[in-house]
């Protein structure tokens, strides 16, 4: 290995030290989009525009659902539920009855005690991408945000800037789908 002269060392060392913070910074190296802690999104396939809360404190995403009924279909656990939300575009109540296969059940502990919830696969649009991910179903009528995006999905979505809101509008086209 060739030996460097003292003059060469003096010129290289400041360059290496200047580059170190950039190379060590994961935020600068991350090319994923940055969203605010509240964004507009679409619940698919109905294309209902609602507020999504991007919650880094929640592991699993959650969606408002009412009248959740469990049933068996081909030996598997399924749920039938009603999604009734106010569309931000039309300000009309959108009500639809959906059926989904239960992926798993989770136990949620809170101030009111423990609660068991079904988890299903749902598609949503955030920014310019469609995401299919697991959502626990829960009556979120008393909550400000009908859809909560948890850390599992946020890993694929991007970064969250807690000082910002409504940084993007949903603009999903076919083929921009990402399965989480």
């Amino acid at each position: 290995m060739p030996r460097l002269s003292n003059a060469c060392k003096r010129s290289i060392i400041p360059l290496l030290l200047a580059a170190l913070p950039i190379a060590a910074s994961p935020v600068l190296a991350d090319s994923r989009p940055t969203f605010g802690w509240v964004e507009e999104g679409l619940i698919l396939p109905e294309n209902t525009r609602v507020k999504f809360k991007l919650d880094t404190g929640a592991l699993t995403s959650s969606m408002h659902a009412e009248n959740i009924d469990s049933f068996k279909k081909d030996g598997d656990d399924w749920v039938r539920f009603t999604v009734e939300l106010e569309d931000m575009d039309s300000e009309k109540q959108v009500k639809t009855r959906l059926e989904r296969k239960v992926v798993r059940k989770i136990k949620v502990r809170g101030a009111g005690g423990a609660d068991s919830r079904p988890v299903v696969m749902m598609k949503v649009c955030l920014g310019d991408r469609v995401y299919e991910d697991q959502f626990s179903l829960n009556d979120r009528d008393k909550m400000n945000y009908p859809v909560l995006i948890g850390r599992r999905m946020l890993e694929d979505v991007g970064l969250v800037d807690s000082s910002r809101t409504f940084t993007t509008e949903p603009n999903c086209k076919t083929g921009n789908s990402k399965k989480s």
Side-chain angles (χ1 to χ4, degrees), residues 2 11 25 29 31-32 37 43 47 59 65-67 74 80-81 84 88 92-93 100-101 115 126 129 134 144 156 169:
S11 64
S25 173
S31 63
R32 294 179 297 170
W37 71 277
I43 296 175
N47 290 322
L59 182 60
E66 299 174 358
N67 305 317
D74 299 325
R80 186 175 295 118
F81 56 98
E84 184 174 1
M88 290 176 68
K92 293 181 183 175
Q93 286 294 115
R100 295 287 190 278
K101 182 178 177 181
D115 185 22
L126 182 60
R129 301 290 301 264
Q134 294 183 15
N144 290 331
D156 293 323
E169 292 199 18

Side-chain angles (χ1 to χ4, degrees), residues 59-151:
L59 182 60
T60 304
S61 298
S62 182
M63 183 175 293
H64 174 69
E66 299 174 358
N67 305 317
I68 302 170
D69 299 316
S70 300
F71 65 98
K72 290 276 188 188
K73 184 175 179 180
D74 299 325
D76 294 319
D77 292 328
W78 282 64
V79 287
R80 186 175 295 118
F81 56 98
T82 303
V83 174
E84 184 174 1
L85 304 165
E86 182 179 309
D87 187 288
M88 290 176 68
D89 284 336
S90 65
E91 296 184 8
K92 293 181 183 175
Q93 286 294 115
V94 176
K95 183 176 182 177
T96 187
R97 191 87 171 141
L98 301 172
E99 290 183 3
R100 295 287 190 278
K101 182 178 177 181
V102 176
V103 175
R104 61 189 175 102
K105 289 195 176 200
I106 60 170
K107 186 172 267 192
V108 178
R109 291 172 196 52
D115 185 22
S116 179
R117 298 180 189 165
V119 177
V120 299
M121 296 300 288
M122 295 290 296
K123 286 185 180 181
V124 296
C125 168
L126 182 60
D128 62 356
R129 301 290 301 264
V130 174
Y131 297 90
E132 184 175 17
D133 201 35
Q134 294 183 15
F135 284 81
S136 69
L137 301 178
N138 184 39
D139 187 340
R140 297 182 57 84
D141 252 351
K142 293 183 174 75
M143 307 290 190
N144 290 331
Y145 309 101
V147 176
L148 183 144
I149 305 297
R151 290 190 312 269

